[in-house]
Amino acid sequence: MLKVLKEANINNKIVLLRLDLNVPISQNKIVSNFRIIKSIPTIEHLIKNNNKIVILSHLGRPKEGEVDEKYSLKPVSLYLSEKIKKNIIFEKNWIDGVDFKDSNIIMCENVRFQNGEKLNSSELSRKISLLGDLFVFDAFGVSHRKESSAYGLIDLMDSYAGQLLENEINNALMMISNPVNPLTTIISGAKISTKITLISKLLNKSSHLILGGGILNTFLFALGHNIGTSLFESDYVDEAKKIIKHKDFKKLIIPIDVVCSNNSSFDNPQTKPISMVQSDDKILDIGAKSIDKYVDIIKKSSTVFWNGPLGYVEQDPYDTGTVKIAKAIAISNCYSMVGGGDTIPIIEKLSLIDNFSYLSTGGGALLKFIEGKELPILKKLGAYT
Ligand code: 3PG
Ligand code: MG
């Protein structure tokens, strides 16, 4: 049984709280506040019970042992402080001890600046454990990692799952064990290598599996289509061919038409049937006919699981397919679950956050969970027993 904070009677303690505050930041401004907002209930619960909190988190993938301001959590600490209307002390140098002064909350600078974090150094975990009385893990997004400030602390301290984590597990379990059929899954992203097992697992469960991005291109290549200069993974063409031979392959949906460009500034979008892609074309989005087909599939679905944008959303108009699919899911009556760092900011930008059934803070962690892999941290917290 998952050991949950909610059922423990924790008062007047110093709690080490591991969050996933790895959010996109541009010019010191938070671009997506989703993970921050989702972390607030556990913080408020701890404060209500007279605890003091030391918040630990990573941000990005900085070089260990160096401080790089680009990866500082300072903007996150200011943002969170404003949101919860409480003073938060931001500690740049925290590893040898912290000082709460007149506050109840401390946020430590990026744990990935510390030597040993990524390799789960036990010495680093030991030092971190000295900063508090017990440990609350609420960083679902790193449940699949073995790092000192998360996995490494669990054996050293009395440890609990926070509210965000509990919620994530309950929703992901529902998606794995009890999705109401028909289930449509949309899997997109640059690399097929990280999602190949997931795709074969989901192909069994789903009525339709829509592919996008570099993953789709690898499949198109494996099917013998000309994909021009589009991104794909040549090392995984054989894996894609194996899936093509899968008995459920017909459930795999590929586009009728695509939007391409054949110049480096991508300023000449051209929609063409999939069979008309030329050797100098780059596929950057799905075309109008494909959008109609996908929208129709979504309308007939009872459950939709979506991971990854369907086109090059960074540049207009190649976000069209993704935006229309997001809107179609938002207005449908299906149970909709979305995961992955790239998809949620788009939904936020369209102000559709409240129109989805469940948005997960997890990226890789969620996909591994859905794939049926045991996530090391969840295992330690009792989620599988
Ligand atoms: C994520 O965004 O996927 C999580 O914050 C984990 O980050 P990581 O993939 O760099 O470990
Ligand atoms: Mg990740």
Side-chain angles (χ1 to χ4, degrees), residues 18 20-23 35 58-61 112 118 139-145 147 340-341 361-365:
R18 178 61 161 94
D20 179 356
L21 301 174
N22 183 20
V23 297
R35 282 178 165 165
H58 69 289
L59 191 136
R61 294 178 177 171
R112 287 191 181 164
K118 286 292 270 179
F140 178 63
V142 289
S143 304
H144 58 319
R145 304 258 180 249
E147 295 175 353
T361 57

Side-chain angles (χ1 to χ4, degrees), residues 94-305:
W94 51 274
I95 192 66
D96 294 315
V98 292
D99 179 0
F100 280 93
K101 300 190 183 90
D102 56 352
S103 170
N104 289 324
I105 309 175
I106 284 173
M107 188 183 293
C108 300
E109 180 58 288
N110 196 341
V111 289
R112 287 191 181 164
F113 290 167
Q114 299 294 324
N115 267 321
E117 167 68 7
K118 286 292 270 179
L119 290 176
N120 191 29
S121 143
S122 51
E123 176 51 19
L124 180 58
S125 296
R126 193 193 61 79
K127 283 185 99 172
I128 300 175
S129 73
L130 301 177
L131 303 176
D133 302 319
L134 55 99
F135 182 50
V136 173
F137 178 79
D138 219 10
F140 178 63
V142 289
S143 304
H144 58 319
R145 304 258 180 249
K146 288 185 177 173
E147 295 175 353
S148 298
S149 69
Y151 182 83
L153 282 178
I154 298 176
D155 288 335
L156 299 178
M157 307 183 82
D158 190 15
S159 303
Y160 300 87
Q163 297 186 20
L164 175 156
L165 191 70
E166 233 193 301
N167 223 350
E168 292 275 6
I169 294 175
N170 291 339
N171 279 278
L173 279 177
M174 193 159 80
M175 183 56 74
I176 298 173
S177 53
N178 250 337
V180 182
N181 288 317
L183 162 68
T184 295
T185 47
I186 307 171
I187 304 292
S188 186
K191 289 189 179 169
I192 192 171
S193 40
T194 51
K195 295 184 184 171
I196 201 98
T197 329
L198 180 77
I199 291 170
S200 22
K201 286 256 163 91
L202 287 176
L203 206 49
N204 282 320
K205 286 177 185 285
S206 313
S207 302
H208 298 97
L209 199 159
I210 294 171
L211 291 176
I215 298 179
L216 167 70
N217 297 338
T218 305
F219 270 96
L220 290 175
F221 186 89
L223 284 165
H225 287 285
N226 186 0
I227 57 166
T229 61
S230 309
L231 291 175
F232 82 113
E233 279 179 291
S234 52
D235 289 352
Y236 280 82
V237 171
D238 285 344
E239 289 288 334
K241 282 186 178 161
K242 275 189 214 156
I243 294 186
I244 290 167
K245 292 196 189 115
H246 196 287
K247 64 173 177 27
D248 289 325
F249 176 66
K250 58 177 186 316
K251 295 177 182 174
L252 219 136
I253 309 296
I254 58 169
I256 303 165
D257 54 351
V258 286
V259 186
C260 303
S261 170
N262 60 7
N263 72 26
S264 56
S265 51
F266 307 147
D267 56 5
N268 61 336
Q270 297 163 37
T271 303
K272 40 182 90 175
I274 197 85
S275 58
M276 295 300 285
V277 174
Q278 304 299 305
S279 299
D280 56 351
D281 278 335
K282 200 183 268 306
I283 301 173
L284 296 165
D285 198 8
I286 51 172
K289 290 200 175 85
S290 309
I291 295 173
D292 286 348
K293 177 175 165 183
Y294 295 2
V295 169
D296 200 46
I297 291 173
I298 289 163
K299 274 189 193 155
K300 293 179 184 143
S301 303
S302 297
T303 311
V304 173
F305 175 70

